[in-house]
Every structure is written in structure tokens, then in C-alpha cells.
Amino acid sequence: MRTLDDLDVKGRRVLVRADLNVPLDGEKITDDGRIRASVPTIQALAGRGAKVVVCAHLGRPKGKVDPEYSLRPVAARLGELLGQDVAFATDVVGDSARQTVEALQEGQVALLENLRYEPGEESKDDAVRGAFAEKLAGLAELYVGDGFGAVHRKHASVYDVPKLLPHAAGGLVVAEVEVLRRLTEDTERPYVVVLGGAKVSDKLGVIANLLTKVDRLLIGGGMAYTFLKAQGHEVGRSLLQADQLDQVRGFLAEAGKRGVDLVLPVDVVAAVTFAADAEHEVVEATAIPADREGLDIGPKTRELFASKLADAKTVFWNGPMGVFEFDAFSGGTRAVAEALIGSDAFTVVGGGDSAAAVRRLGLPEDGFSHISTGGGASLEYLEGKTLPGLAALED
Ligand code: ADP
Ligand code: MG
């Protein structure tokens, strides 16, 4: 993959595909992690005298202009973090975009409006996507792919534009790919993966592939209940995906056959309802009362997981261990995060909610070797899939 060092950017218009898909509360950015992660590449380009044209998506406006998903607040925050003004185009490839780009001087930065206002961005029709890509590419002379969180999408700005312009990977994409390589090739052992989050169905592909690679697989979060049920235990009103039971039984068998230590919760925090202030108690994972739902892993499980992580050399963690958004059910997620922070292993956090949990719990982000900016993209990489955005950059 070519990097920024391979491009001569001075005085040229460089289109940067960034991932600026941050959570918003109205116009207030509630977590600017992805903007901060995008700054170094933009700064490097501006510092080398490029005219930097940033493009990105926000939310799912589905091909229509919807003010709720405007990137304008993001332009303001990006400007603060860069310490320089960011010109904002009120459309993606229209008059405003052309004029804004035209007005850029060397070292200046502009942000285009939400790519997903344009139906061509996400179209499944190659011709429709290609036509939009032509317009986007027409705004610049060079392309830098740095939106790691979107590289698993076959979208115009990710997949088609790099085919039309000389291109390179930005620093964020290079760093993320380097980490993922360490998780898939010549990985240092013991290699332990901790999976949690809501649904097992979101992570079937990654579990199947990881079972061929890891020494231990620790399962917590909502998905653990489908595993417990597959082992024949009742899970009360816990999150259960009954349609995945066969699949999960297959995973249990496969783990046994391959000698992978697949570790499930031994106790859970069981609540009477799904609420922050729900009455709750710790129960054995094999004895969840019929009227309760497991919202976190229990104290014995936290210790068990910590012991399984203690001698690890490589750890990948994706998905909270419980409903960390409620303080009463955040202890399991905190325990796993702290075990990783205290470990000498190469520790990687993947997943938007897992990264958000680290920040919400006030834990130090630099306590981990790496926190990925792209949950979906890292999971698809670990699943063994080809990511369109990376393939396009490699050509
Ligand atoms: P990530 O974004 O890190 O990949 P997911 O999106 O898969 O994680 O899952 C995150 C969600 O899973 C969180 O909102 C959390 O509240 C939820 N969750 C975790 N444990 C449980 C549980 N026991 N019951 C219901 N939801 C859970
Ligand atoms: Mg999530």
C-alpha cells in the first residue's frame, strides 16, 4: 500500500476520505474520538502544502438531504482540533463544493457535506456509484483513503474514487491494518479473544474464523446467553437468539475439536427488568431465574476471565460484557478493560461500543496497545474477508 510519503501533494488538491461518523446529540458531538483520529493525516497533508478536501459520512440519511445529519458541527470541531479554519461546503459535489475547493490555498482545509446525502455514494449499481465517483474525483487531483471505519463498504468514496485518482493510504488506515496483521499472522501466543456485545448473529463470521486461530475465546455480554442455552441451561428473560442455537452448538463442538478453550460466564448479574435502576442479584449462570435477565457477567466470571487473560501475549476484545450504559451493570466491562490495561500483552479494542465504554468508564485509552476506530471493518478483516476500501488502495 502506498502511503502519504509516496505522494507529492504540495499545491495540489487532495481528496481525503475520512471517518468522521461521530455520535451527535442535536448539534452537540458527544464523542469526538473519530475526529481526533482523523487529524494527523489531515494535518500532515496541510503541513506539506496540500489543498485538503475532506469527505466523510454521518449516520444514515439514505441518499437524501437531511439537516439532522449535516456535517457542519463536525467541521467546527475539526477546525478546533486542527487549530485552523475548516471551510464547509453545503453540498457534496455541487456549486458549493466546487467553489469551496476552488478557493482553497496551500495548507488550507475544507470539508464537504455528508457523502450519504448523495444516492450514488452507497448505490449497489456500479454505474450509478461510478457516476457519482467521477464527480467526487473531479474535485481533486489526488486521493488519500483514511476512513478506516468505512473500508469494508463498497461505496463510491471508498472503493470507486481511488480507481480514478493517484492514491495512497492515510496514516490511520496504515496503523489499523498493521494492528490487524498482528492479530492474523504470526500472532504471539497465548492469543486470547474476548467477545461480548448484544447479538451473536452480528459476530458469527468472526467467531468461526477466530476459532481457527485463537487459544482461548471468552464470551460475555448478551451473546453469552445463546451459548448457555445451547449447553442446555435456562436463561430466563436474557437476550436469546433461538434461531442461532444450532450455529452456536456448532461453535462449541468446533472449539472442543480444535482444543480452543471456550470460556462462558459462570455467574451473571440478573435483573428484574432492563433498566438502570432495576433490582438485581448475582446468580449462577446455570440457575438464572425464569423472570430475570442477565445484564452483566458476575464477580466470579470477572475473576475467571482475568485469570484467562493473565498470561496472554495477544488480546483482541470486542463487545461490552454487559449493559455498561447502566452503572449497575458496567462492572464486568470494567473488569475486562482493567485486566487488559494491567496486561503486558499486545491489547486491541475493536468495536464502537467497546471503545465508548472505555471512555465512559473513565479508563485511560493509552492503557491499551490500540483502540480501533472501525468495529465493523476490523471484524470483517478478522473474519478473513477482503475489504473493498483496502483492496482499492492496494491496486
Ligand atoms: P461493539 O460496538 O463494541 O461491537 P455491540 O454493538 O456488539 O458492541 O454491542 C454493544 C451493546 O451490547 C451495548 O449497547 C450493550 O448494552 C449491549 N449488551 C451487552 N451485554 C448485554 C446484555 N447482557 N443484555 C443486553 N444487551 C447487552
Ligand atoms: Mg456497536
Side-chain angles (χ1 to χ4, degrees):
M1 238 170 1
R2 276 176 302 275
T3 67
L4 295 190
D5 292 336
D6 302 312
L7 292 183
D8 181 11
V9 302
K10 188 170 163 52
R12 305 176 82 186
R13 293 186 307 272
V14 182
L15 183 71
V16 180
R17 176 43 158 119
D19 175 14
L20 304 174
N21 190 25
V22 290
L24 284 177
D25 180 8
E27 292 203 352
K28 194 174 165 287
I29 296 162
T30 53
D31 182 350
D32 67 359
R34 283 179 166 159
I35 308 180
R36 282 188 281 125
S38 303
V39 163
T41 293
I42 295 170
Q43 214 149 38
L45 289 167
R48 293 179 197 185
K51 301 171 179 175
V52 188
V53 182
V54 183
C55 65
H57 75 277
L58 182 74
R60 298 175 189 264
K62 303 202 168 137
K64 291 197 186 63
V65 174
D66 179 345
E68 198 189 323
Y69 297 107
S70 173
L71 276 170
R72 190 184 281 280
V74 173
R77 182 70 187 129
L78 179 60
E80 284 169 14
L81 291 166
L82 285 168
Q84 70 179 91
D85 274 349
V86 171
F88 184 63
T90 56
D91 56 29
V92 188
V93 290
D95 289 343
S96 174
R98 277 192 300 272
Q99 284 158 16
T100 306
V101 169
E102 202 52 50
L104 285 178
Q105 305 291 311
E106 288 185 12
Q108 292 187 335
V109 179
L111 175 64
L112 306 178
E113 185 52 287
N114 193 340
L115 287 162
R116 292 189 184 170
Y117 281 3
E118 290 285 340
E121 168 68 357
E122 297 179 85
S123 176
K124 298 250 187 299
D125 183 330
D126 289 351
V128 175
R129 234 181 32 248
F132 171 63
E134 295 270 357
K135 289 189 200 167
L136 198 54
L139 295 171
E141 297 147 275
L142 301 168
Y143 174 90
V144 169
D146 206 34
F148 179 71
V151 291
H152 57 315
R153 307 288 187 199
K154 195 176 173 185
H155 292 168
S157 66
V158 174
Y159 178 73
D160 302 271
V161 177
K163 298 187 183 301
L164 300 171
L165 292 174
H167 53 263
L172 178 61
V173 161
V174 170
E176 295 272 11
V177 169
E178 173 61 31
V179 166
L180 289 165
R181 288 225 172 97
R182 276 180 77 170
L183 296 177
T184 42
E185 293 163 30
D186 303 322
T187 310
E188 267 201 275
R189 296 179 181 279
Y191 180 11
V192 186
V193 168
V194 189
L195 288 181
K199 293 183 172 171
V200 66
S201 55
D202 291 344
K203 300 180 184 173
L204 297 173
V206 81
I207 296 173
N209 204 36
L210 285 173
L211 280 175
T212 69
K213 301 209 175 336
V214 304
D215 300 299
R216 294 172 205 144
L217 182 56
L218 319 184
I219 306 244
M223 70 164 71
Y225 302 94
T226 304
F227 279 83
L228 290 168
K229 179 80 177 178
Q231 286 190 327
H233 307 300
E234 288 311 319
V235 296
R237 293 174 38 229
S238 307
L239 202 62
L240 170 68
Q241 288 189 284
D243 56 337
Q244 303 298 335
L245 283 169
D246 282 342
Q247 179 86 47
V248 165
R249 280 187 201 106
F251 290 150
L252 290 167
E254 183 71 14
K257 213 168 73 191
R258 289 185 175 272
V260 171
D261 188 10
L262 195 153
V263 189
L264 296 176
V266 291
D267 60 350
V268 308
V269 183
V272 291
T273 57
F274 187 92
D277 59 355
E279 188 202 314
H280 56 271
E281 62 178 347
V282 174
V283 300
E284 298 293 306
T286 52
I288 302 174
D291 60 345
R292 290 188 180 244
E293 55 188 307
L295 295 187
D296 198 6
I297 55 172
K300 278 196 277 184
T301 306
R302 294 170 203 177
E303 268 183 44
L304 174 65
F305 283 13
S307 74
K308 298 281 179 184
L309 288 163
D311 64 340
K313 287 275 190 297
T314 307
V315 183
F316 174 68
W317 170 37
N318 170 283
M321 295 292 99
V323 185
F324 72 94
E325 295 92 336
F326 301 153
D327 290 341
F329 308 106
S330 65
T333 302
R334 176 183 292 281
V336 162
E338 283 175 347
L340 264 64
I341 290 169
S343 152
D344 299 328
F346 178 61
T347 53
V348 180
V349 183
D353 290 290
S354 311
V358 167
R359 293 192 274 265
R360 189 190 139 86
L361 297 174
L363 296 165
E365 289 177 70
D366 60 5
F368 305 89
S369 307
H370 182 76
I371 300 185
S372 176
T373 55
S378 359
L379 288 179
E380 288 199 16
Y381 189 103
L382 294 177
E383 213 178 310
K385 284 191 179 166
T386 299
L387 309 190
L390 296 182
L393 287 175
E394 260 152 24
D395 274 349

